[in-house]
Amino acid sequence: MSVDIQTVKRVARLARIAVSEEDAARMTGELNTILGFVEQLNEVDVSGVEPMTSVTPMAMRKREDVVNDGNKAADIVANAPATEENFFLVPKVVE
Amino acid sequence: MSDLTRLTIAEARAKLRAKEISAAEITDAYLAAIDQANPRLNAYVAVTHDKARDMAKASDARLAKGEGKALEGIPLGIKDLFATEGVHTQACSHVLDGFKPRYESTVTSNLWADGAVMLGKLNMDEFAMGSSNETSYYGPVINPWRRSRVQTTVKPTFHDGSAGFVKPGGVEENRSYDNMQLVPGGSSGGSAAAVSAFLCAGATATDTGGSIRQPAAFTGTVGIKPTYGRVSRWGVVAFASSLDQAGPIARDVRDAAILLKSMASVDARDTTSVDRPVPDYEAALGRPIKGMKVGIPREYRVGGMPEEIEALWQQGIAWLKDAGAEIVDISLPHTKYALPAYYIVAPAEASSNLARYDGVRYGLRVPGKDIVDMYEKTRAAGFGREVKRRIMIGTYVLSAGYYDAYYLQAQKVRTLIKKDFEDVFAAGVDVILTPATPSAAFGVADQDMAADPVKMYLNDVFTVTVNMAGLPGISVPAGLDSHGLPLGLQLIGRPFDEETLFQTAHVIEKAAGRFEANQWW
């Protein structure tokens, strides 16, 4: 399988990365090189094989459903580019 | 006083406990070495002079009271991927500009609790994506090792004519060093270069496809990727969560064992960390390997592998045989599919993990006409080429219509890769010996690799299987190539059997000796 420039632009949109015409053209070539490389996986007979979900067999550890951390609003917003009264500020999303 | 930066962790530990040296002295020696060398090597992206001196002072106070901990007063470098409270933590990416976490990673918390001193944050490939440390926003790290060749000059015997005075001639050997800059490998290139160049006593690193073991091999240092779950990932910037694992890079096997003991722990904040006691890894050193079954996988004899790598591998086999190990040929039939499967699984996980860098909560923000435009511009400006490439691949293989063909197929192949190892271990093999890398360190801005991303990916051909199967792997220096550059051997063990890796690597280290770069920095 290979991708064309339209697909690259669509994927970039899904990934929320702005790409110029030039970027998209370059990425098309790079992505096709990589997709060409991974193509060989189709040779492998995987009939009856379960896809891996966990590399070490382990049961999900659970904990008590209690509040054990919090009251850190100032810490949480400390690194944000724009905040006001412990809220993250973003461009207007609703008209 | 001799140069304190030359002491191994084990040596420094003994001298600190005996009060022959102080933590302040050894810390100052490292800070001076960093200030002198970093403009040339670019191993550190942030040096924490004041914090280091404060921590050293606290260590000296504890040592004076006889309350020194396992790593008391030992100065370490920390990969920029680990969250360190109030200190530069940016995964060497532009998108995390200015990020100073309000919390500490579990690994670094463990190290500080054991008395270690932080020297600063180490350079790395952006978000740990790379095999040469060239994708860092802060520029490449330079390998302390340089190519060299032996020059022989024949000197005639000199007689000055007077009776009895003769200056004997003979063959004189000199190494002449090439000025070409080499990469230290990646992604933990800063960690490996700093350890190799005596700019820290040891370093933290992380390994998703070979990022501890390949740079260790390129710099003549020891690096271990522990079993998945041995070390907490909490507070480590995520790349591919099912593959990422932290471990140490150190000057020798003993130091790596000492560091891993402190780094490893079960952690309520990482549900994939494993609740089993951390052994005293150091105690495994010196145990005889007589009767140990060492597997030699035939699939690791890849086409185009340099003869020197093959010769190194044979040498490793001979050393282990001499020490009484039993050598057995084994087969890991799905080896060649590990790298292509990795380049589906790792980018898929990365595309999801890196979705959080959106210009809202931390780091860089590039304004846009609306929120989506802001996201897209921020991510376009904040991520480097390699990171974007992997996010794009990951987004593509997870997108509707392609998920089964790529992602599901890769996860099934991964099951088969793991089964290869399980079969071999079930047949009684204790440890597997392979080369660590298909070549020695290459040049900065290598044209071949710049032109074809897959060429760079092939650096991890021997290491990536271990991450796919969640196993522990150690890289130990084993010799020099014809250019005088270090080469490493890799040992792969059963899950949670890091002790056997340290035990066996120690045998190789004793036979091979240790390797130091000729100091020019």
Side-chain angles (χ1 to χ4, degrees), chain A residues 41-51, chain B residues 334 404 408-416 419:
Chain A
L41 291 178
N42 295 329
E43 302 162 21
V44 186
D45 179 7
V46 293
S47 44
V49 178
E50 286 293 313
Chain B
H334 296 90
D404 285 5
L408 207 62
Q409 179 77 6
Q411 290 288 47
K412 286 178 180 173
V413 171
R414 195 174 171 190
T415 300
L416 293 171
K419 186 175 177 296

Side-chain angles (χ1 to χ4, degrees), chain A residues 1 8 13 15-16 18 26 30 33 38 41 43 46 50 52 55 61 75 78-81 88-89 93, chain B residues 99-100 102 267 270 273 337 360-362 365 371 376 379-380 389 406 409 411 414-415 418 469-470:
Chain A
M1 265 182 277
V8 168
R13 185 81 186 163
R16 297 280 186 258
R26 196 194 64 243
E30 290 170 355
T33 306
V38 304
L41 291 178
E43 302 162 21
V46 293
E50 286 293 313
M52 182 177 283
V55 76
R61 233 184 1 255
D75 283 342
N79 278 285
F88 296 113
L89 285 189
V93 268
Chain B
F99 182 60
K100 288 190 170 67
R102 295 297 185 101
D267 182 5
D270 173 4
S273 71
Y337 301 109
V360 174
R361 286 158 292 172
Y362 24 66
R365 169 183 287 192
I371 194 163
E376 293 190 340
R379 290 164 65 81
R389 201 178 281 156
Y406 287 110
Q409 179 77 6
Q411 290 288 47
R414 195 174 171 190
T415 300
K418 184 163 182 258

